[in-house]
Amino acid sequence: MIETIITRDFGTPAKEITLATEMITLTIDGYQVTVPAGTSLMRAAAENAINIPKLCATDSLEPFGSCRLCLVEIEGRRGYPASCTTPAEAGMVVRTQSAKLQEVRKGVMELYISDHPLDCLTCPANGNCELQDMAGVTGLREVRYGYEGANHLKLKKDESNPYFTFDSSKCIVCNRCVRACEETQGTFALTISGRGFESRVSAGQSESFMESECVSCGACVEACPTATLTEKSVIWLGQAEHSITTTCAYCGVGCSLKAEMKGNEVVRMVPAKDGKANEGHACVKGRFAWGYATHKDRILKPMIRSKITDPWKEVSWDEALDYAASEFKRIQAKHGVDSIGGIVSSRCTNEEGYLVQKLVRAAFGNNNVDTCARVCHSPTGYGLKTTLGESAGTQTFKSVEKSDVILVIGANPTDGHPVFASRMKKRLRQGAKLIVIDPRRIDLVKSPHISAQYHLQLRPGTNVAMVSALAHVIVTEGLMAESFIAERCDLRAFDQWRQFMSKYENSPEVTEAITGVPAQQVREAARLFATGGNGAIFYGLGVTEHAQGSTTVMGIANLAMATGNVGREGVGVNPLRGQNNVQGSCDIGSFPHELPGYRHVSDTTVRTLFEQAWGVPLQAEPGLRIPNMFEAALDGSFMGLYCQGEDIVQSDPNTQHVTSALEAMECIVVQDIFLNETAKYAHVLLPGSSFLEKDGTFTNAERRISRVRKVMPPKAGYADWEVTVALSNRLGYPMNYKHPSEIMDEIARMTPTFTGVSYKRLDELGSIQWPCNEDAPEGTPTMHVDQFVRGKGRFIITQYVATDEKVTRKFPLILTTGRILSQYNVGAQTRRTENVKWHAEDRLEIHPHDAQERGIEDGQWVGIHSRSGETVLRAMVTERMQPGVVYTTFHFPESGANVITTDNSDWATNCPEYKVTAVQVMHVQQQSDWQLEYARFNEEQLGLAEPVV
Ligand code: SF4
Ligand code: SF4
Ligand code: SF4
Ligand code: FES
């Protein structure tokens, strides 16, 4: 799928066509054209292959009408109206070319060019500059005003942003960047300062881009028609010569990106306009932070060693795979068939995940397979399956454009899911109401032109009490969607739920003592959600990563059902998935109890289907979950692990417990692109391939399956799926796939919700939201439309049970954790990019009151102790926190955030309770014992990785 890099620009956005849309016909340059009413003349012409010159218009932004290049003549009208701002009308007769128009346009161009550097041949935009194009199109041959008048040619470049430059001398003040920052991104970091000739684009209050509010999304760079805003990669490498559409490998938004290439080198990433998850937008990670793929730290040669104190030995792929296979066989012969297992990565493709779980079930002969979704969204799987019948979100992201009330609970979209956040913010600026339930004052609570109607700033660990209080108000004040419930839900379960929720113990007045949120606020928020029109719920790890994570997910589904907010656009229950392929890794059978398509391994019919297809008997009992693997390792019964693309040492809670378990194992095979923290405990290191080096698919938070396309050959020789195939063959279980499309074909054959999915179909449709089968050949944007997947929606009683993790005199504060925009999870990728310029270390956010009480000042080192361990970070004193609660991110291994988290977990799924750890914080002078030992161990391991050939 090699494409040209030029994408057609229609000048103004398309009008949505619905059944109610009126179509109108007019004449442009003698051709009859028919378009939806409200379409601009510029777009009407462009859709019919008539290109009107333009500079300030672009089809991702509302028209502005400033450059006057797009003037046209309309019969019966005086003057020359701008075609970008003039709507087409039925019967209009329009001319886009005439001698007079040519003269006016030339005049406009002369003015621009007289104040523009004439360095086209050495300009980075040469070959991709709209100003240059327009000079050509308008036939500009001379500039009558000369170049000596007042101009801006000496203005200084702003190179503060690591990814793009701002060269004001080339700016034509078309306002596209300002509008992109407002309309597309919603950050409002740019303004036009000054008037007339003095007008200039300015970041913030005449600050540099890095000092301003800019979040480096790149929307302005993309919108700029000149070289004023240009990617540094383009400045270094020149213009790309072809592009390949693929999918971002960072978060669960799943943005479609065009990798613009020169041979095998990425020149830049451009969000695909037709990408349904992102519609032409991206964030600082997807658009800019891809340099890790070619970072010098990449592991490119397989390595083995007998003990983790031995130096690594570089070996051939054959030797490494033979060694891994022989070790797994040896361990099984010694400790039994169940003594080994595998971990599927939510960073890898669906096809790779499918192969790892197949390897474990068919080649290892057990069900000891789990995935990192265990530690993030496993409660979503359990909670939504139980209540609605399917372990997935109900909507498309686009659906938020029809929401009237948006409830965000335990999620921080502007940092974790930035492109979706931009879409959500757009809807909020149009007037939708916002309720935020979060212990921290996240940016969404108050940002430019957005202010949450309610911020229910609850104490960490009290989500269930909060959700029950909302339900109590809805039930007792008669705000339920009675007919929806009567028609769509299991009435017995509903009656029980209603009785339970009516109890005084669930009232906001009682739960106030638990959540800390005033009852009146909760009552008003509940009324708004229940009566404000289409209500959509978006939630994240602040819901799931709790001892009662599954209970809150079910509580959220209850709220949606009780208010009739399921089964159409603008509503729904929407888990914001963390990693790029969390949804997919769950879909394709990575949990120890489920075969692909969420079918229990104990279901004989399903198991028989797989046994016949795979030609081996399968165990009927669920295998070990990740925490059980650690326990079994410490017991001596689990001795071998195949870990693909996961860093369990950094990402799983209670680090000391994890490392002790790994140290107890006899053979750990890590497949990764870097020597990550887990690899330091490994015996076999198989080089992984980045998303740029392989074919496959990712499934985002909307259930959208999108193609990942190889844009360069695997740096270490093999894509990850090929390595799993080779390992399986050595273990005596043959796998014979020639291409990932064959793996997807097998997934489709074996999984009822995927039967219509194939690479051919994905190429045709761009992406597909499962279920995709005979009933839904083009996929399913909205789920549970006429009835719930499980038949009747099932209300579940959600009894609040306080977590065991209590504040005490010894540990008086609650630590909660999360992410920041510029970094990504364990940081293995983003730490190896310029994104460290925004966030170079994890910090501990603490309220001024708590800081003052402890004599802590901003920027000082603070020790954080919990009953699990101790680490040291620098403090950030901020009123974003509530008193009694501290917060940190977990992007840097030396911070050891998970040294302090405990092994408490969700009652249903074992998802760790990352969000609630009782801690004490105090001012300290040096690193913790754990950090000192980590530094020593890390140095030792890096030394052992120096190649010995
Ligand atoms: S990079 Fe994004 S946030 Fe920054 S100024 Fe441009 S559009 Fe605004
Ligand atoms: S920086 Fe680019 S987009 Fe912004 S006003 Fe100048 S020329 Fe237009
Ligand atoms: S929002 Fe997520 S998927 Fe989109 S570009 Fe950013 S990190 Fe990638
Ligand atoms: S493109 Fe219409 S006025 Fe600039």
Side-chain angles (χ1 to χ4, degrees):
M1 290 280 283
I2 288 186
E3 303 148 11
T4 61
I5 57 165
I6 304 297
T7 309
R8 188 91 198 281
D9 186 340
F10 293 86
T12 65
K15 288 282 154 203
E16 196 180 348
I17 301 181
T18 66
L19 288 176
T21 304
E22 186 199 348
M23 301 300 285
I24 54 164
T25 300
L26 64 158
T27 306
I28 302 180
D29 290 348
Y31 295 98
Q32 292 236 312
V33 304
T34 300
V35 292
T39 302
S40 70
L41 284 179
M42 176 178 280
R43 178 136 198 146
E47 284 180 0
N48 291 279
I50 300 167
N51 296 315
I52 301 173
K54 62 181 176 54
L55 274 173
C56 69
T58 183
D59 58 11
S60 60
L61 301 170
E62 292 303 322
F64 190 62
S66 70
C67 76
R68 313 295 293 165
L69 206 60
C70 67
L71 311 185
V72 290
E73 293 171 351
I74 303 174
E75 257 183 41
R77 290 206 192 172
R78 292 170 55 188
Y80 304 97
S83 61
C84 62
T85 50
T86 307
E89 288 173 20
M92 260 183 179
V93 178
V94 180
R95 258 190 314 278
T96 72
Q97 298 295 340
S98 72
K100 182 66 191 166
L101 288 171
Q102 178 85 349
E103 185 192 323
V104 176
R105 287 174 187 154
K106 263 192 196 174
V108 170
M109 285 305 296
E110 276 184 275
L111 279 173
Y112 279 129
I113 299 302
S114 67
D115 186 11
H116 196 83
L118 296 179
D119 59 355
C120 288
L121 288 182
T122 53
C123 176
N126 190 11
N128 192 7
C129 171
E130 292 180 43
L131 189 66
Q132 204 177 46
D133 294 347
M134 290 306 113
V137 164
T138 54
L140 186 72
R141 297 291 173 259
E142 59 171 345
V143 175
R144 285 168 294 168
Y145 316 111
Y147 307 100
E148 306 309 324
N151 60 50
H152 301 89
L153 303 183
K154 296 261 176 338
L155 291 177
K156 217 168 148 251
K157 252 191 195 179
D158 174 359
E159 305 203 66
S160 60
N161 184 290
Y163 296 117
F164 59 83
T165 60
F166 173 62
D167 182 354
S168 192
S169 71
K170 297 193 166 170
C171 178
I172 58 169
V173 200
C174 67
N175 210 285
R176 275 163 65 161
C177 55
V178 179
R179 286 178 285 144
C181 193
E182 294 176 1
E183 293 176 29
T184 310
Q185 165 58 23
T187 292
F188 294 76
L190 302 179
T191 49
I192 302 283
S193 62
R195 302 173 76 93
F197 176 76
E198 299 302 327
S199 306
R200 288 336 275 166
V201 169
S202 151
Q205 305 296 315
S206 296
E207 296 155 301
S208 70
F209 271 77
M210 274 308 262
E211 288 163 338
S212 74
E213 295 293 309
C214 167
V215 293
S216 195
C217 70
C220 56
V221 181
E222 173 138 5
C224 184
T226 66
T228 312
L229 285 158
T230 307
E231 294 92 344
K232 288 184 176 171
S233 56
V234 172
I235 295 175
W236 296 322
L237 298 168
Q239 295 291 328
E241 42 81 12
H242 73 271
S243 79
I244 299 175
T245 302
T246 186
T247 303
C248 178
Y250 281 116
C251 86
V253 178
C255 294
S256 182
L257 303 174
K258 288 177 84 162
E260 290 195 357
M261 308 290 300
K262 247 185 173 173
N264 288 337
E265 190 162 23
V266 180
V267 174
R268 64 175 185 168
M269 284 284 180
V270 179
K273 275 188 189 173
D274 55 359
K276 296 196 179 80
N278 55 322
E279 293 189 342
H281 192 30
C283 79
V284 62
K285 297 187 287 279
R287 192 192 288 264
F288 294 123
W290 35 269
Y292 71 88
T294 49
H295 195 273
K296 63 175 176 40
D297 288 353
R298 281 284 301 267
I299 299 291
L300 298 175
K301 294 269 192 265
M303 299 196 281
I304 60 172
R305 61 182 175 180
S306 307
K307 300 194 297 298
I308 67 164
T309 46
D310 289 346
W312 284 104
K313 182 179 161 208
E314 273 187 15
V315 294
S316 67
W317 273 103
D318 278 342
E319 194 177 338
L321 289 163
D322 285 345
Y323 182 72
S326 70
E327 278 296 280
F328 284 150
K329 284 186 198 159
R330 179 187 66 74
I331 291 169
Q332 283 191 307
K334 184 169 152 200
H335 299 282
V337 73
D338 294 334
S339 60
I340 62 173
I343 295 181
V344 171
S345 173
S346 294
R347 324 299 328 277
C348 290
T349 63
N350 286 317
E351 293 74 5
E352 286 159 350
Y354 178 84
L355 285 198
V356 173
Q357 63 89 34
K358 182 173 177 180
L359 173 95
V360 171
R361 299 185 203 279
F364 291 3
N366 61 48
N367 287 321
N368 293 336
V369 62
D370 207 356
T371 171
C372 46
R374 169 72 53 217
V375 299
C376 66
H377 266 288
S378 50
T380 288
Y382 179 89
L384 297 188
K385 179 106 182 164
T386 307
T387 48
L388 310 181
E390 192 58 272
S391 302
T394 60
Q395 309 296 127
T396 59
F397 290 140
K398 196 172 178 59
S399 159
V400 78
E401 293 169 9
K402 302 225 164 106
S403 301
D404 300 308
V405 185
I406 297 170
L407 170 56
V408 177
I409 169 167
N412 184 6
T414 51
D415 284 55
H417 301 84
V419 165
F420 172 65
S422 292
R423 260 174 143 163
M424 183 192 276
K425 290 201 290 188
K426 193 171 196 170
R427 180 63 189 154
L428 292 169
R429 290 197 302 276
Q430 289 167 351
K433 303 285 187 285
L434 174 66
I435 302 166
V436 173
I437 303 179
D438 202 285
R440 267 172 99 224
R441 199 186 63 222
I442 57 171
D443 286 348
L444 206 53
V445 172
K446 187 109 188 72
S447 55
H449 304 281
I450 289 169
S451 182
Q453 271 60 40
Y454 298 100
H455 175 205
L456 310 181
Q457 196 167 13
L458 79 182
R459 293 192 186 113
T462 64
N463 284 335
V464 172
M466 173 58 72
V467 169
S468 294
L470 293 168
H472 175 90
V473 178
I474 290 165
V475 167
T476 56
E477 294 191 8
L479 307 177
M480 286 177 291
E482 302 279 0
S483 58
F484 178 92
I485 296 166
E487 213 176 287
R488 304 275 308 262
C489 300
D490 175 335
L491 293 181
R492 212 163 136 246
F494 167 68
D495 278 337
Q496 289 167 350
W497 177 80
R498 175 165 51 185
Q499 279 175 31
F500 172 77
M501 284 305 164
S502 307
K503 290 183 184 172
Y504 181 60
E505 69 187 57
N506 289 318
S507 70
E509 287 69 24
V510 174
T511 57
E512 180 172 336
I514 301 168
T515 62
V517 180
Q520 190 56 25
Q521 273 187 30
V522 178
R523 285 200 175 269
E524 288 173 14
R527 288 171 196 146
L528 173 62
F529 183 72
T531 62
N534 281 343
I537 307 177
F538 297 89
Y539 72 89
L541 304 182
V543 159
T544 55
E545 291 175 343
H546 285 275
Q548 281 199 293
S550 292
T551 317
T552 310
V553 173
M554 293 189 289
I556 286 171
N558 291 338
L559 279 183
M561 289 189 289
T563 53
N565 278 314
V566 190
R568 60 181 191 281
E569 287 190 312
V571 300
V573 179
N574 304 281
L576 294 174
R577 305 287 186 155
Q579 306 197 88
N580 52 325
N581 201 34
V582 177
Q583 181 69 55
S585 70
C586 299
D587 299 342
I588 50 78
S590 305
F591 287 129
H593 65 292
E594 281 170 342
L595 288 157
Y598 301 101
R599 289 164 295 167
H600 206 278
V601 290
S602 63
D603 182 328
T604 312
T605 315
V606 174
R607 211 175 54 256
T608 307
L609 186 80
F610 280 90
E611 286 177 336
Q612 283 169 355
W614 292 352
V616 283
L618 299 176
Q619 286 193 0
E621 294 295 320
L624 298 174
R625 297 170 173 184
I626 293 172
N628 306 131
M629 291 180 193
F630 298 150
E631 294 300 333
L634 291 167
D635 288 351
S637 59
F638 186 82
M639 290 288 116
L641 180 68
Y642 174 42
C643 182
Q644 185 183 74
E646 269 309 301
D647 193 355
I648 47 180
V649 169
Q650 198 183 332
S651 65
D652 283 36
N654 195 348
T655 308
Q656 302 89 318
H657 179 71
V658 176
T659 53
S660 306
L662 297 187
E663 278 169 341
M665 291 188 208
E666 293 177 7
C667 181
I668 297 171
V669 178
V670 164
Q671 187 174 350
D672 207 283
I673 59 177
F674 297 117
L675 184 83
N676 64 19
E677 301 309 306
T678 308
K680 292 168 188 165
Y681 293 85
H683 307 88
V684 180
L685 191 46
L686 303 174
S689 48
S690 79
F691 78 114
L692 298 172
E693 297 156 37
K694 57 196 178 189
D695 283 301
T697 55
F698 293 150
T699 306
N700 76 353
E702 317 162 282
R703 295 169 278 105
R704 185 182 300 287
I705 306 166
S706 301
R707 274 299 312 277
V708 176
R709 293 189 177 87
K710 180 152 93 175
V711 306
M712 60 177 71
K715 294 216 161 297
Y718 294 107
D720 292 323
W721 65 272
E722 293 175 288
V723 177
T724 309
V725 165
L727 181 60
S728 187
N729 288 334
R730 281 169 172 80
L731 286 164
Y733 181 77
M735 289 189 187
N736 293 307
Y737 307 98
K738 300 280 177 298
H739 189 268
S741 61
E742 296 172 13
I743 307 170
M744 179 51 85
D745 291 343
E746 181 173 318
I747 297 171
R749 273 198 307 279
M750 306 296 292
T751 315
T753 43
F754 275 64
T755 52
V757 181
S758 66
Y759 280 24
K760 182 165 174 286
R761 204 75 186 111
L762 284 166
D763 286 345
E764 286 163 3
L765 296 175
S767 59
I768 298 173
Q769 286 176 277
W770 68 259
C772 173
N773 45 30
E774 263 185 22
D775 296 337
E778 299 205 347
T780 310
T782 309
M783 291 198 83
H784 316 291
V785 172
D786 296 318
Q787 63 166 19
F788 287 99
V789 171
R790 72 179 300 284
K792 296 284 186 188
R794 184 172 164 210
F795 283 85
I796 300 283
I797 288 176
T798 52
Q799 174 82 53
Y800 169 69
V801 180
T803 166
D804 291 342
E805 186 68 9
K806 305 243 185 318
V807 290
T808 60
R809 232 178 327 158
K810 191 170 174 200
F811 301 121
L813 302 172
I814 291 285
L815 170 76
T816 186
T817 61
R819 285 203 230 148
I820 198 157
L821 169 68
S822 55
Q823 293 289 342
Y824 187 72
N825 274 21
V826 295
Q829 296 145 291
T830 42
R831 278 187 278 113
R832 292 181 171 94
T833 69
E834 295 286 335
N835 280 25
V836 289
K837 294 233 161 84
W838 284 277
H839 187 77
E841 61 179 355
D842 294 318
R843 290 257 192 139
L844 186 82
E845 292 187 18
I846 182 166
H847 188 271
H849 170 78
D850 294 324
Q852 197 185 15
E853 225 175 33
R854 291 164 175 77
I856 295 167
E857 288 178 17
D858 195 63
Q860 280 183 337
W861 292 105
V862 288
I864 313 140
H865 305 244
S866 74
R867 64 188 165 85
S868 291
E870 181 193 353
T871 194
V872 173
L873 300 174
R874 281 205 289 154
M876 181 189 284
V877 180
T878 166
E879 291 198 345
R880 178 193 275 272
M881 300 310 300
Q882 55 177 290
V885 182
V886 291
Y887 169 89
T888 188
T889 48
F890 52 92
H891 304 304
F892 291 81
E894 56 275 19
S895 311
N898 280 322
V899 171
I900 34 185
T901 53
T902 68
D903 41 20
N904 281 355
S905 65
D906 175 47
W907 61 272
T909 65
N910 275 146
C911 182
E913 192 185 29
Y914 289 114
K915 303 297 185 194
V916 187
T917 308
V919 296
Q920 177 57 294
V921 174
M922 59 186 66
H923 179 37
V924 294
Q925 303 289 355
Q926 64 163 30
Q927 293 186 308
S928 72
D929 290 347
W930 178 85
Q931 283 167 309
L932 294 172
E933 171 52 21
Y934 169 79
R936 186 206 62 74
F937 178 72
N938 185 45
E939 197 173 322
E940 175 186 278
Q941 285 299 319
L942 294 179
L944 296 174
E946 290 297 316
V948 177
V949 185

